[in-house]
């Protein structure tokens, strides 16, 4: 039997991490077309509302139902505006390990939302799901993501050379692929000691696939 994550919402002081729904389609598409998101992710470019709907209605629910991970929409508690997404992926249920990735909308950057959402996810993963390792991989030049890793207590374990394809603008303004190194970070339950508890609680939902 395939292990799967429960269908839940996680609340923090400022944020709600919840399942994506179809109301998120336009905001997700807008966010995924941002220059920084295009540069550091493998998302289609341009990212259409059809791509967004496919991710929300089919691909993200399949991550959870097939045991590969879980995708959270991150929204502001007060405004319900979509801040970003957090994705647990490449989950190994025997080892109790998963890999975290996140995207934050350009308007929400600089507010500490990425670290707040990532920390809440890690706390839930370790405390509620009894996982023993969380991994994060950042492109060598993606300093913003590296700062998030450091802020939540991750330890840098090494470099995977030439292991990722990022994108950059050419002189003519076109996107082109460029190979880059990946920095591997890890977070273990004991690494969270002394890190502020930002998780306000968990709420179960019904099936959303």
């Amino acid at each position: 039997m395939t292990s799967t994550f429960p269908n839940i919402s996680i609340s923090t002081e400022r944020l709600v991490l919840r399942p994506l729904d179809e109301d998120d389609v336009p905001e997700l598409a807008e966010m995924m077309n941002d220059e920084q998101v295009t540069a550091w992710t493998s998302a289609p470019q341009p990212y259409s509302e059809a791509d967004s709907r496919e991710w929300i209605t089919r691909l993200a629910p399949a991550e959870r139902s097939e045991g590969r991970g879980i995708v959270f929409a991150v929204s502001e508690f007060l405004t319900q505006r979509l801040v970003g997404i957090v994705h647990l992926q490449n989950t190994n249920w025997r080892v109790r390990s998963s890999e975290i990735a996140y995207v934050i909308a350009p308007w929400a950057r600089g507010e500490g939302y990425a670290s707040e959402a990532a920390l809440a996810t890690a706390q839930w993963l370790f405390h509620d799901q009894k996982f023993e390792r969380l991994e994060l991989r950042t492109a060598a030049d993606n300093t913003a993501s590296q700062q998030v890793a450091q802020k939540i207590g991750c330890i840098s374990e090494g470099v995977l050379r030439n292991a990722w394809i990022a994108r950059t603008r050419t002189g003519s303004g076109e996107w082109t692929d460029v190979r880059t190194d990946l920095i591997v970070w890890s977070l273990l339950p004991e690494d969270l000691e002394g890190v502020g508890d930002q998780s306000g609680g968990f709420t179960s939902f019904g099936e959303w696939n």
Side-chain angles (χ1 to χ4, degrees):
M1 181 177 178
T2 302
S3 297
T4 60
F5 288 119
N7 195 21
I8 67 152
S9 172
I10 303 170
S11 60
T12 74
E13 182 179 351
R14 300 182 297 170
L15 303 173
V16 177
L17 282 68
R18 56 167 176 79
L20 285 158
D21 62 47
E22 289 202 57
D23 289 341
D24 297 316
V25 166
E27 286 183 286
L28 180 61
E30 180 181 1
M31 177 177 67
M32 297 304 290
N33 279 306
D34 174 67
E35 293 268 321
Q36 291 299 312
V37 176
T38 300
W40 300 121
T41 74
S42 58
Q45 175 53 229
Y47 196 91
S48 68
E49 288 200 3
D51 293 321
S52 182
R53 185 169 287 103
E54 173 78 352
W55 177 246
I56 288 171
T57 62
R58 190 177 70 84
L59 299 178
E63 286 281 304
R64 191 183 72 86
S65 64
E66 296 171 10
R68 291 181 278 116
I70 190 170
V71 182
F72 292 110
V74 182
S75 59
E76 284 186 318
F77 178 76
L78 292 178
T79 68
Q80 301 303 306
R81 191 176 181 184
L82 187 67
V83 167
I85 57 174
V86 171
H87 185 186
L88 291 180
Q89 58 191 1
N90 301 322
T91 302
N92 186 317
W93 290 93
R94 182 174 183 273
V95 178
R96 308 299 286 188
S97 173
S98 193
E99 180 183 339
I100 190 170
Y102 39 78
V103 172
I104 299 297
W107 66 267
R109 292 172 191 156
E111 301 294 331
Y113 285 151
S115 56
E116 185 172 332
L119 180 58
T121 303
Q123 290 169 331
W124 168 76
L125 190 71
F126 293 151
H127 299 161
D128 189 73
Q129 297 299 298
K130 309 304 181 187
F131 269 55
E132 297 293 337
R133 175 181 170 88
L134 184 62
E135 188 171 297
L136 171 63
R137 300 183 179 199
T138 64
D141 292 329
N142 190 351
T143 55
S145 189
Q146 292 161 27
Q147 289 168 356
V148 172
Q150 293 170 331
K151 189 172 181 179
I152 67 173
C154 290
I155 304 299
S156 175
E157 293 185 331
V159 176
L160 300 177
R161 297 184 300 161
N162 227 20
W164 185 249
I165 297 177
R167 287 178 283 210
T168 188
R169 291 282 194 186
T170 65
S172 62
E174 299 295 320
W175 286 105
T176 187
D177 291 344
V178 56
R179 297 200 72 93
T180 185
D181 297 343
L182 283 176
I183 302 173
V184 180
W185 306 79
S186 69
L187 190 68
L188 306 182
E190 55 264 33
D191 297 329
L192 290 183
E193 295 177 8
V195 178
D197 185 358
Q198 298 184 31
S199 178
F202 315 132
T203 304
S204 297
F205 283 81
E207 293 298 317
W208 54 287
N209 59 344

